[in-house]
Amino acid sequence: MTDTLSTRLPQTGRRSNQSDSLFETLTVGIMTGRIQPGDKLNELVLAEEFGVSRAPIREAFRRLQEKGLVTHVAHQGVRVISPTLQDFLSLLDVREALEGMASRLAATEMGPDELDGLADVVEQHGRDLQRNPDGPYVQNDFDNDFHVRIARGCRNPVLTDLLCDQFYPRLKLCRARHGLVKGRGLAAWNEHRRILAALMERDGDVAELLMRRHVRSARAALLSSAPGPDGRAAV
Amino acid sequence: MTDTLSTRLPQTGRRSNQSDSLFETLTVGIMTGRIQPGDKLNELVLAEEFGVSRAPIREAFRRLQEKGLVTHVAHQGVRVISPTLQDFLSLLDVREALEGMASRLAATEMGPDELDGLADVVEQHGRDLQRNPDGPYVQNDFDNDFHVRIARGCRNPVLTDLLCDQFYPRLKLCRARHGLVKGRGLAAWNEHRRILAALMERDGDVAELLMRRHVRSARAALLSSAPGPDGRAAV
DNA sequence: ACTTTCATTATTGTCGACAAATCTCAGAGT
DNA sequence: ACTCTGAGATTTGTCGACAATAATGAAAGT
């Protein structure tokens, strides 16, 4: 945790209870990397930092715990999860299943305007690649991310929530811990283009197939860039 | 909520904090149907019932909220989710993806002893069907459920937790709200047998295919037994 | 020098109380 | 009979304090 957290506290009057604000702020803090994997979250420190009592802090902790972003052991406090490479790989297996289904559903459910927006995202990604061809695919803006748009376009609220609220935060946590895979930007972009084409053709079977292959490629790239020779995490 | 909840409170000294006990007790209460969908959960009432203060109650509520079993609106309290038929169907779409992947992984990861145990489960199910051929497939014992065993056999902790801790409780909630589909017991059993066979042959492709078809069949049966003519929930 | 023991400290778990918001329902008004 | 209003009651949000447990570190023993 490099910086003071209170800088981002909305102190909004819109949301009446502080527990919800805290939860959101801490979630963003973990996703952006301001709070690092392995960091201990001290109740008193955070309470003072945010100018609240410990009760709302603890309630936010319980939600973070159930969200899978922190661990909580009795009388020992809360600590940001530090996923092993094995955890990362496990997460990507589940991601393959979920995003594959999301793509299948999105193929029939996304509206023309949504598809246009998705095409814009891909096009912008292509322009970014021209400037920096070897860079990884970075998820700068959550709302303008290729995968997030598909997760939202599948018209399945359970799946959308699962991916956006639970899965992508944990994925960002894994990336903060293990780094991004370099040099897969161009390959990812090509795979995105083919998935987009399948969606526009309303071909759910192909869209699922391509998305699953896409996630599997990312997983394989991660595995091949892993430190250990047997595919196990160093820590 | 028909019965007093405190009957199941472990009051165990083993688990030091009461928040965890409450969370588990409430989760079981919702899963078993003792707490019904739509029920309001009053902090003071529960605090008195369990003989604790409101703080641990509230912390348990936050975890239930993030688990997706209750809703929480500010100054209005906590209420057990009352899923629409649409939610039920959405859940089954995601279930198809997750259990399909679990079956694929389980085909290569499950040990011989685990497969034997799974075969016993299927056999026992067959004996139950002889006595009551028209009954639905009921999940009497969580540990001896066909799907739970596969979820645990896939050797992917993320997937196992997602299915057992998050998905199956929500599924039970949906069943409590919308009832079980009658008369699918025999068909389900046959599908289970074929999935088991694929697992024993270590054929992940077929196992995933059959499991997805199995879940889709259950979904279709639910849809056809639905009240509305257009597949929309009455509520 | 190293390990063990024990008292001190720091942190978490729980509680009761107060403030703020919502809900309830009797009574006035149409 | 129906709707609207508002005071009282109920319920939630937050706080400060105390108790219980774990982490820390100094002193004693080997």
Side-chain angles (χ1 to χ4, degrees), chain A residues 17-185:
Chain A
N17 59 349
Q18 300 179 297
S19 172
D20 286 353
S21 306
L22 265 299
F23 172 68
E24 194 178 325
T25 304
L26 290 175
T27 299
V28 172
I30 293 175
M31 284 182 67
T32 58
R34 191 164 57 248
I35 311 177
Q36 288 281 313
D39 277 351
K40 169 87 183 291
L41 297 183
N42 186 301
E43 294 179 3
L44 272 178
V45 171
L46 286 178
E48 191 146 344
E49 191 133 13
F50 288 109
V52 299
S53 95
R54 284 171 49 216
I57 300 270
R58 287 177 62 90
E59 293 187 11
F61 279 2
R62 291 307 168 276
R63 293 182 63 186
L64 289 172
Q65 172 186 359
E66 211 60 25
K67 198 186 178 95
L69 293 183
V70 305
T71 59
H72 170 86
V73 287
H75 294 284
Q76 209 164 327
V78 163
R79 195 172 288 274
V80 178
I81 291 240
S82 188
T84 63
L85 178 62
Q86 213 63 249
D87 294 332
F88 199 169
L89 294 171
S90 295
L91 204 68
L92 290 177
D93 276 337
V94 183
R95 184 190 182 193
E96 177 190 329
L98 291 176
E99 294 208 22
M101 177 59 75
S103 300
R104 165 181 294 276
L105 298 174
T108 59
E109 296 298 328
M110 277 180 94
D113 47 341
E114 289 177 301
L115 286 174
D116 287 346
L118 191 65
D120 290 343
V121 169
V122 173
E123 205 172 319
Q124 179 61 44
H125 183 199
R127 279 195 293 274
D128 294 344
L129 272 176
Q130 287 186 335
R131 278 200 304 276
N132 182 19
D134 293 332
Y137 176 60
V138 212
Q139 188 182 30
N140 298 317
D141 181 5
F142 192 77
D143 288 333
N144 285 328
D145 178 78
F146 182 78
H147 296 270
V148 171
R149 293 230 174 188
I150 292 178
R152 286 179 178 156
C154 69
R155 291 292 126 70
N156 181 317
V158 175
L159 187 48
T160 303
D161 286 359
L162 198 58
L163 282 172
C164 293
D165 294 342
Q166 292 218 310
F167 233 73
Y168 294 145
R170 292 172 73 176
L171 213 54
K172 292 214 83 168
L173 190 53
C174 284
R175 295 206 183 99
R177 172 80 174 72
H178 294 279
L180 293 161
V181 179
K182 310 287 181 193
R184 238 190 70 78

Side-chain angles (χ1 to χ4, degrees), chain B residues 110-125 127 143-146 149-150 196 199-200:
Chain B
M110 276 179 93
D113 48 340
E114 287 176 303
L115 286 174
D116 288 346
L118 191 65
D120 290 343
V121 169
V122 173
E123 208 172 317
Q124 179 60 44
H125 183 198
R127 280 194 293 272
D143 288 333
N144 285 328
D145 178 78
F146 181 78
R149 294 231 174 186
I150 292 178
L196 173 65
L199 292 177
M200 293 205 293

Side-chain angles (χ1 to χ4, degrees), chain B residues 16-18 52-56 75-76:
Chain B
S16 54
N17 59 348
Q18 300 179 296
V52 299
S53 97
R54 284 171 49 220
H75 293 284
Q76 208 164 327

